[in-house]
């Protein structure tokens, strides 16, 4: 139970810090959110691809692997484009 309370408090402090940062630096915060969303979508696509590969076979997992590569490629391009992040 203590772990759940600690994780909730940690998430609340992190979210509050990000909100303050977003209010003071809106452009950088928006860029960071876009990069984070691309990476998160890549991780979700990776997990989906692995589940498809295990359950159905590699041929059915190829589109999910391609989506994963596309999301990670986009995140890397955004990171290179916005050097200040």
């Amino acid at each position: 139970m203590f772990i759940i309370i600690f994780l909730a408090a940690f998430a609340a402090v992190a979210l509050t810090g990000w909100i303050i940062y977003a209010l003071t630096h809106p452009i950088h915060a928006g860029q960071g959110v876009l990069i984070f969303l691309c990476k998160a979508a890549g991780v979700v696509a990776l997990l989906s691809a692995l589940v498809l590969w295990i359950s159905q076979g590699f041929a059915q997992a190829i589109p999910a692997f391609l989506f994963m590569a596309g999301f990670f490629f986009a995140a890397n391009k955004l990171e290179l484009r916005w050097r200040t992040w």
Side-chain angles (χ1 to χ4, degrees):
M1 185 65 170
F2 179 72
I3 298 293
I4 295 172
I5 294 170
F6 173 76
L7 291 176
F10 180 79
V13 169
L15 183 61
T16 304
W18 185 84
I19 289 171
I20 291 169
Y21 182 75
L23 290 174
T24 57
H25 302 87
I27 302 297
H28 293 293
Q31 292 170 350
V33 168
L34 188 60
I35 292 169
F36 172 76
L37 289 176
C38 283
K39 288 183 178 183
V43 170
V44 169
L46 172 66
L47 294 175
S48 300
L50 290 175
V51 168
L52 282 171
W53 188 5
I54 291 170
S55 65
Q56 296 182 3
F58 184 72
Q60 286 78 16
I62 291 174
F65 279 123
L66 292 176
F67 276 110
M68 176 206 63
F71 283 126
F72 284 137
F73 179 76
N76 287 335
K77 282 294 194 182
L78 289 173
E79 284 180 343
L80 290 175
R81 182 177 178 190
W82 295 319
R83 295 260 180 207
T84 58
W85 175 253

